[in-house]
Amino acid sequence: MRISVIYIELLCILAYNEEMFGRRKRVTNAMQLSVWKHWFHKRKHSDSIDSTAIIGKKPVIPEEIEEVIQQFFRTYNHFKGARSLQTDTFIKEVFYATKQDPRDQSTIEDMEAYIQRKNGLRLRLKSYEVDEFLPLSDQVCMIGVTREFSNQQRNRVLYFIIKEEGAWRFHHIARSHHGRVLDKFQVKEQTGFVVGNDKAALLFLTHSQSLDAATFMLGDYVHAEGYLEVEQEVGDQLYYRMVRMNRVH
């Protein structure tokens, strides 16, 4: 299926979901919206990431959050072992990223079991390094982690950690994607970017008041970071909530 056809289908789905979202949002959605408005406000009024972000060297992380991070990665190769450190949203994101079937309506327990089985067939985590820390509020922070696996493959992801019922838990995992902006469009308060090439592309959504929405145009070669949106039903498609995007020169 060509990118243009995929884009039309996605646009129709997003328009429908935008209309229905007000009737389906949960408490977690309201929390996420508040956090993202705070993030976008900071990005809009600054040419760089907030000064509290620490990148490229060992960041200073509060002890209670550092402990949760260490526990999470100690159990990384045994997914169920970290259940108390993960929100349901995090499990859904990992499940749909793994299975790539947004129509699957498995229970959280079944999702967890599926991921556990799949992890047994995958490369083992060899090491990790937290190289970025950004507190977004008293209840939400973001960390950047470079991971190395048993075949010496390395990648970098962002994790969002929230304080829920007095405990810090992993809530989102944002992945990286490179490519050109193939399309840019508007759906009410959201701006969509189709990023990739003529063979493979991902859809990223961001709030239209964000700096990213105003900065990037068709044809720009970008490095986009975002997490799967699992709190809204998307029919037959998956799309990513943009965390940030940078132009690649």
Side-chain angles (χ1 to χ4, degrees):
M1 184 179 294
R2 296 183 63 82
I3 294 298
S4 59
V5 177
I6 295 173
Y7 158 65
I8 292 171
E9 292 181 351
L10 288 169
L11 187 58
C12 292
I13 291 166
L14 289 168
Y16 171 78
N17 283 326
E18 186 73 23
E19 187 71 25
M20 297 295 292
F21 176 56
R23 281 178 273 177
R24 291 203 301 264
K25 66 182 179 180
R26 303 174 182 176
V27 174
T28 54
N29 292 44
M31 181 280 296
Q32 291 171 5
L33 181 60
S34 175
V35 169
W36 285 112
K37 282 184 177 179
H38 177 63
W39 168 261
F40 289 136
H41 177 77
K42 290 194 297 183
R43 291 295 305 277
K44 186 178 179 181
H45 292 84
S46 173
D47 291 331
S48 61
I49 297 175
D50 187 87
S51 59
T52 56
I54 303 172
I55 306 173
K57 61 181 180 179
K58 181 67 175 177
V60 178
I61 302 174
E63 185 175 348
E64 61 177 343
I65 299 176
E66 177 69 33
E67 183 177 348
V68 169
I69 294 170
Q70 291 179 1
Q71 290 178 11
F72 177 83
F73 283 103
R74 277 199 297 268
T75 58
Y76 185 89
N77 294 319
H78 181 70
F79 190 79
K80 286 188 175 183
R83 180 63 181 99
S84 64
L85 308 176
Q86 304 161 344
T87 66
D88 287 356
T89 295
F90 184 86
I91 291 174
K92 289 178 182 179
E93 287 179 20
V94 176
F95 174 80
Y96 286 117
T98 302
K99 195 168 186 182
Q100 290 292 310
D101 182 3
R103 295 167 296 182
D104 192 303
Q105 297 296 313
S106 297
T107 65
I108 290 294
E109 291 73 19
D110 287 342
M111 289 182 180
E112 187 180 20
Y114 177 85
I115 299 167
Q116 178 72 24
R117 291 194 301 272
K118 286 293 184 179
N119 275 6
L121 304 174
R122 291 183 169 182
L123 298 170
R124 315 304 282 172
L125 181 69
K126 182 179 178 181
S127 65
Y128 73 94
E129 180 182 2
V130 179
D131 53 27
E132 181 178 1
F133 174 69
L134 176 64
L136 296 175
S137 72
D138 293 339
Q139 307 294 319
V140 184
C141 67
M142 182 186 82
I143 60 172
V145 182
T146 298
R147 309 177 302 181
E148 182 177 358
F149 295 89
S150 54
N151 68 341
Q152 282 72 56
Q153 178 183 345
R154 293 165 63 89
N155 66 16
R156 190 175 188 277
V157 295
L158 303 176
Y159 291 101
F160 285 81
I161 306 174
I162 70 168
K163 197 168 190 178
E164 186 179 71
E165 298 178 351
W168 288 95
R169 295 186 174 92
F170 281 69
H171 188 57
H172 290 306
I173 176 171
R175 305 176 189 275
S176 298
H177 184 68
H178 291 80
R180 293 203 177 278
V181 176
L182 302 175
D183 212 337
K184 179 180 179 179
F185 57 92
Q186 193 80 17
V187 181
K188 294 189 177 180
E189 295 183 352
Q190 302 293 313
T191 297
F193 292 89
V194 179
V195 177
N197 54 46
D198 59 355
K199 295 182 180 179
L202 297 180
L203 173 65
F204 290 85
L205 287 183
T206 186
H207 197 280
S208 295
Q209 294 181 359
S210 72
L211 183 63
D212 292 329
T215 300
F216 298 99
M217 303 298 170
L218 287 175
D220 287 347
Y221 191 78
V222 298
H223 170 220
E225 294 171 291
Y227 60 85
L228 274 176
E229 178 60 79
V230 296
E231 296 301 329
Q232 299 183 45
E233 297 176 6
V234 293
D236 294 335
Q237 302 292 344
L238 294 170
Y239 66 92
Y240 290 77
R241 179 64 57 186
M242 187 188 298
V243 175
R244 61 191 179 193
M245 193 154 68
N246 298 297
R247 186 174 286 104
V248 178
H249 299 285

